[in-house]
């Protein structure tokens, strides 16, 4: 699936950040979800999100310890919120096997198990 907002460099950095912030999330393709959310954001908010990814990209290369040094920054909070939402919304990108987060956290109430997730509102089929 082609990304609409993230370029290859930012997508790679964001993938590493998501995995550091929400270990195991890479299996569901959180970058696809976040790219769709970024695309729908107002331009000034999108710019802020892209700047946050850029600010944290060097820390992602340095691993968990380097990222921990940035944990009290607004950029960290913004990217962490995106990573958590991408995973715990139970999103699984097209072409990814998952499983989604809900099965991992045993979120299986009768209503949740009947829910048919439709990501088309984000432009993801």
């Amino acid at each position: 699936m082609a990304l609409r907002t993230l370029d290859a460099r930012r997508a790679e950095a964001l993938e590493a950040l998501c995995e550091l912030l929400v270990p195991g999330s890479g299996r569901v393709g959180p970058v696809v979800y976040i790219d769709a959310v970024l695309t729908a954001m107002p331009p000034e908010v999108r710019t802020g999100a892209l700047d946050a990814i850029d600010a944290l990209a060097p820390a992602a290369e340095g691993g968990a310890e380097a990222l921990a040094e940035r944990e009290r920054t607004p950029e960290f909070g913004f990217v962490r919120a995106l990573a958590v939402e991408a995973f715990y919304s139970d999103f699984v990108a097209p072409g990814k096997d998952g499983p989604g987060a809900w099965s991992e956290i045993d979120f299986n109430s009768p209503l949740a198990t009947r829910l048919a997730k439709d990501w088309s509102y984000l432009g993801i089929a």
Side-chain angles (χ1 to χ4, degrees):
M1 172 164 212
L3 300 178
R4 295 174 284 171
T5 297
L6 296 167
D7 59 25
R9 178 185 56 81
R10 281 188 178 123
E12 185 178 332
L14 184 57
E15 187 173 338
L17 288 165
C18 286
E19 191 60 34
L20 287 168
L21 293 164
V22 185
S25 66
R27 72 173 183 270
V28 302
V31 171
V32 174
Y33 179 91
I34 294 170
D35 180 73
V37 169
L38 293 173
T39 301
M41 286 180 177
E44 61 278 359
V45 179
R46 182 181 322 116
T47 298
L50 295 174
D51 290 346
I53 294 166
D54 292 344
L56 296 178
E61 292 174 12
E65 230 174 83
L67 187 58
E69 293 175 9
R70 305 292 314 271
E71 76 173 319
R72 301 272 188 232
T73 66
E75 295 86 4
F76 181 94
F78 199 152
V79 173
R80 180 180 60 188
L82 291 171
V84 168
E85 178 183 337
F87 185 65
Y88 287 104
S89 66
D90 205 37
F91 175 78
V92 178
K96 294 286 189 174
D97 293 332
W102 288 7
S103 66
E104 184 173 307
I105 62 173
D106 203 25
F107 183 63
N108 59 6
S109 68
L111 183 57
T113 59
R114 291 192 315 260
L115 185 62
K117 296 169 199 80
D118 177 10
W119 306 103
S120 62
Y121 74 97
L122 290 172
I124 301 170

